[in-house]
Amino acid sequence: MLLKCSGFRKIALAIASFCLAGCSRALFYQPQIATGGINSNFAEEFPSYSGDGRFLAFASERDGRRNIYLYDFQENQLVNLPNLNRRDSSQDQPSLSADGRYLAYVSTERGKPDIFVYDRQQQRSQLLTANLRGAVQHPTIRGDGQQVTFQSNDRGQWNLMIVDVTGN
């Protein structure tokens, strides 16, 4: 038994050495806490970049309820999202399209988690899960904003659902 453990240990050390040698640069990066209005005294969660890196969407309880925020790195400020966050519900788990125009998210607006897509140009949201009875989570939007994929347990187990936002 000792020989097997010793041999296993040598193999594990060899694998670890190989991995560390191949990943050495990554070990020395020091993450920094973002400044400039992105962070508050509350947990900031579920970050999502736009494809061009200009925008960062995230969820936070900084205003006393769970809301979605959008930060513009070009302007170095939070962007107003009219008609997205509602006082009587929580908005969470944002996902941005490539250009930052569309934002898929989870909302409890109807008393249970649903998936919505917010159009920043039209300043309105579209409900995508009106007919699902199960729970939903983790939406992700395609780069062009035309499809949203999310997890749902509507059929008894967690499955991936795809919704064509254009209705096709």
Side-chain angles (χ1 to χ4, degrees):
M1 185 76 151
L2 185 55
L3 288 174
K4 286 184 181 177
C5 290
S6 178
F8 176 74
R9 183 174 177 182
K10 286 180 184 177
I11 292 170
L13 287 174
I15 291 171
S17 296
F18 175 75
C19 288
L20 289 176
C23 303
S24 62
R25 279 190 274 155
L27 295 175
F28 298 108
Y29 287 116
Q30 181 63 38
Q32 297 179 0
I33 296 176
T35 59
I38 295 176
N39 285 304
S40 67
N41 291 329
F42 299 90
E44 320 299 353
E45 298 177 305
F46 299 104
S48 175
Y49 274 108
S50 59
D52 60 6
R54 177 177 176 179
F55 297 103
L56 176 70
F58 60 95
S60 176
E61 292 182 15
R62 62 176 61 189
D63 290 333
R65 63 188 189 280
R66 190 67 159 184
N67 284 329
I68 292 175
Y69 296 88
L70 184 65
Y71 189 82
D72 183 337
F73 285 104
Q74 187 174 341
E75 300 293 326
N76 293 319
Q77 65 184 10
L78 290 171
V79 175
N80 189 23
L81 299 170
N83 304 316
L84 174 73
N85 296 309
R86 305 184 193 276
R87 292 187 178 147
D88 58 347
S89 62
S90 67
Q91 284 58 239
D92 208 0
Q93 302 175 23
S95 175
L96 280 172
S97 63
D99 63 0
R101 175 180 174 178
Y102 299 101
L103 201 151
Y105 64 99
V106 175
S107 177
T108 60
E109 180 179 319
R110 298 187 332 141
K112 68 175 194 69
D114 278 303
I115 304 294
F116 286 81
V117 171
Y118 178 76
D119 181 337
R120 290 183 47 225
Q121 282 185 354
Q122 295 183 9
Q123 299 181 355
R124 66 184 180 105
S125 293
Q126 176 184 355
L127 173 63
L128 302 182
T129 55
N131 298 322
L132 286 180
R133 288 180 269 167
V136 295
Q137 62 185 10
H138 306 299
T140 185
I141 193 163
R142 197 168 78 183
D144 62 7
Q146 300 303 303
Q147 286 186 334
V148 174
T149 301
F150 56 91
Q151 291 176 281
S152 173
N153 66 0
D154 185 58
R155 297 181 181 161
Q157 72 176 26
W158 287 104
N159 289 302
L160 297 178
M161 303 290 207
I162 300 173
V163 174
D164 187 333
V165 177
T166 64
N168 295 329

